[in-house]
């Protein structure tokens, strides 16, 4: 078996493997790889002749470490795939190792991932893979109160074509999103449709909320994925007022227990108990150097939302 780095020159067999491993349409996997190809994607594959038997992929991202007051590079694990005919041979460990060698050479201090229940089994039982489970993202459900919408805020399916006002970092470990990376992540996705709540102020964007329209028991709602702005409290208050004005009744989000956005949503909506998630995600971590603070291994020190999960 031959092991080599994957590029978009391997698009056809790569997409074929992903479609077979995840039971997805081949055309969508082609689109997804082309979309991810615009970012810093690092991937390695195992070849059996012309057949791609396994692959492992990471994106080069940054997280903010409040204890060091700086952003540091990490590898965001986006998927591992082994063709059904090649499972049980330890290929995940083999194809992931060179990816993390490259990440280490690039100065990344850790691998970060969001695993579903099946992925967590791999994390817990594969010592060579090297990931530990930090904790589970918690589901939240908020019932919207009536609010008076403000004229400086609007809902749209189009990304705004204006500069963004600067924002400060949070006091928890979090992904260091920028307007550019958010635009690519959500506005440029090839087959998913997202909506945007936009706060416009003095010819610039003071904040943006990214969400999807959902329904629960026939009631219209919104799944909050990300919120970016210099004043999150006022941003979320304006967004929920705009939603309520359009007949939306509730907001759902998944996040770490100390996520600032989840905490601020309690100021503008009624938080309802929700104890179970049908598709939970777990934050996982793999240190690549000794520079990773021990605080990063504790879920209460992270601020993550569902939109951080690719």
């Amino acid at each position: 078996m031959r092991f080599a780095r994957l590029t978009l020159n391997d698009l056809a067999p790569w997409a074929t493997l992903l479609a077979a491993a995840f039971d997805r349409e081949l055309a969508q996997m082609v689109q997804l790889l082309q979309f991810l190809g615009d970012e810093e994607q690092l991937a390695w594959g195992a070849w059996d002749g012309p057949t791609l038997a396994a692959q492992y992929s990471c994106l080069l991202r940054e997280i903010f470490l409040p204890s060091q007051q700086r952003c540091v590079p990490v590898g965001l694990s986006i998927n591992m795939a082994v063709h059904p005919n090649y499972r049980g041979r330890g290929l995940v460990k083999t194809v992931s190792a060179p990816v993390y060698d490259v990440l280490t050479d690039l100065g990344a201090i850790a691998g970060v991932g969001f695993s579903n229940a099946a992925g967590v089994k791999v994390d817990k039982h594969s010592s060579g893979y090297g990931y530990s489970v930090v904790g589970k993202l918690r589901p939240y459900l908020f019932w919207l109160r009536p609010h008076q919408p403000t004229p400086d805020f609007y809902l749209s399916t189009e990304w705004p074509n204006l500069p963004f006002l600067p924002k400060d970092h949070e006091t928890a470990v979090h992904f260091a999103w920028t307007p550019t990376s958010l635009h690519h992540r959500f506005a440029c996705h090839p087959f998913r449709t997202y909506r945007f709540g936009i706060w416009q102020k003095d010819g610039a964007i003071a904040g943006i909320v990214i969400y999807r329209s959902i329904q629960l028991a026939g009631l219209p709602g919104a799944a909050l994925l990300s919120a970016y702005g210099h004043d999150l409290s006022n941003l979320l208050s304006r967004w929920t007022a705009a939603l309520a004005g359009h007949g939306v009744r509730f907001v759902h989000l998944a996040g770490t227990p100390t996520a600032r956005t989840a905490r601020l949503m309690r100021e503008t909506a009624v938080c309802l108990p929700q104890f179970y998630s049908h598709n939970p995600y777990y934050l996982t971590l793999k240190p690549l150097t000794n520079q990773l603070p021990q605080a990063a291994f504790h879920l209460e020190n992270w601020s993550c939302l569902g939109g951080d999960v690719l």
Side-chain angles (χ1 to χ4, degrees):
M1 195 164 283
R2 178 174 63 90
F3 301 93
R5 185 167 179 175
L6 297 174
T7 71
L8 289 185
N9 292 330
D10 306 304
L11 182 61
W14 197 356
T16 299
L17 169 61
L18 295 180
F22 300 121
D23 192 25
R24 301 295 295 271
E25 294 182 7
L26 178 61
Q28 279 195 342
M29 295 301 95
V30 170
Q31 290 178 314
L32 181 64
L33 288 173
Q34 291 172 329
F35 164 68
L36 294 174
D38 293 334
E39 295 197 44
E40 294 293 329
Q41 183 177 196
L42 301 172
W44 224 264
W47 295 87
D48 183 9
T51 301
L52 185 61
Q55 71 89 51
Y56 183 78
S57 302
C58 275
L59 295 178
L60 190 63
R61 288 275 172 85
E62 285 191 336
I63 60 172
F64 179 74
L65 296 178
S67 62
Q68 300 179 13
Q69 285 296 296
R70 66 186 181 108
C71 294
V72 295
V74 296
L76 176 63
S77 176
I78 52 174
N79 61 57
M80 62 184 82
V82 181
H83 192 280
N85 295 340
Y86 295 87
R87 290 174 182 167
R89 304 185 189 183
L91 290 176
V92 170
K93 176 182 176 181
T94 306
V95 293
S96 64
V99 172
Y100 286 104
D101 288 340
V102 175
L103 286 169
T104 301
D105 291 341
L106 293 173
I109 68 169
V112 183
F114 292 97
S115 294
N116 57 19
V120 163
K121 291 181 180 178
V122 175
D123 296 330
K124 289 182 175 180
H125 296 103
S126 178
S127 58
Y129 186 42
Y131 270 85
S132 59
V133 179
V134 179
K136 183 169 67 173
L137 272 63
R138 175 183 171 184
Y140 295 87
L141 189 64
F142 297 94
W143 189 259
L144 299 185
R145 302 186 182 102
H147 287 285
Q148 184 66 36
T150 58
D152 58 358
F153 195 95
Y154 63 96
L155 305 178
S156 176
T157 57
E158 301 293 330
W159 189 266
N161 188 24
L162 288 171
F164 279 70
L165 295 177
K167 68 177 288 291
D168 295 329
H169 285 290
E170 297 185 39
T171 57
V173 182
H174 62 276
F175 284 93
W177 290 102
T178 67
T180 299
S181 60
L182 284 171
H183 173 265
H184 181 270
R185 163 73 175 87
F186 295 105
C188 299
H189 200 283
F191 50 83
R192 290 179 185 161
T193 301
Y194 299 100
R195 296 178 179 272
F196 311 107
I198 301 163
W199 180 10
Q200 186 171 328
K201 181 178 179 182
D202 298 329
I205 303 303
I208 189 165
V209 179
I210 299 155
Y211 67 103
R212 298 181 73 177
S213 295
I214 59 174
Q215 284 196 345
L216 180 63
L219 296 175
L224 196 166
L225 300 172
S226 186
Y228 180 95
H230 74 288
D231 184 349
L232 279 182
S233 180
N234 274 319
L235 172 64
L236 294 171
S237 176
R238 283 167 163 78
W239 177 60
T240 54
L243 289 178
H246 282 77
V248 175
R249 308 298 296 275
F250 69 92
V251 168
H252 179 273
L253 69 87
T256 50
T258 53
R260 187 181 177 202
T261 299
R263 175 169 53 82
L264 291 174
M265 278 295 298
R266 296 174 183 269
E267 299 178 0
T268 189
V270 179
C271 186
L272 303 177
Q274 190 174 17
F275 304 107
Y276 178 74
S277 175
H278 292 286
N279 187 27
Y281 276 92
Y282 299 79
L283 176 65
T284 62
L285 199 61
K286 173 187 176 75
L288 299 179
T289 73
N290 56 10
Q291 300 178 35
L292 186 65
Q294 283 300 307
F297 291 91
H298 301 279
L299 189 65
E300 64 269 19
N301 296 320
W302 281 83
S303 180
C304 294
L305 293 181
D308 293 322
V309 182
L310 187 65

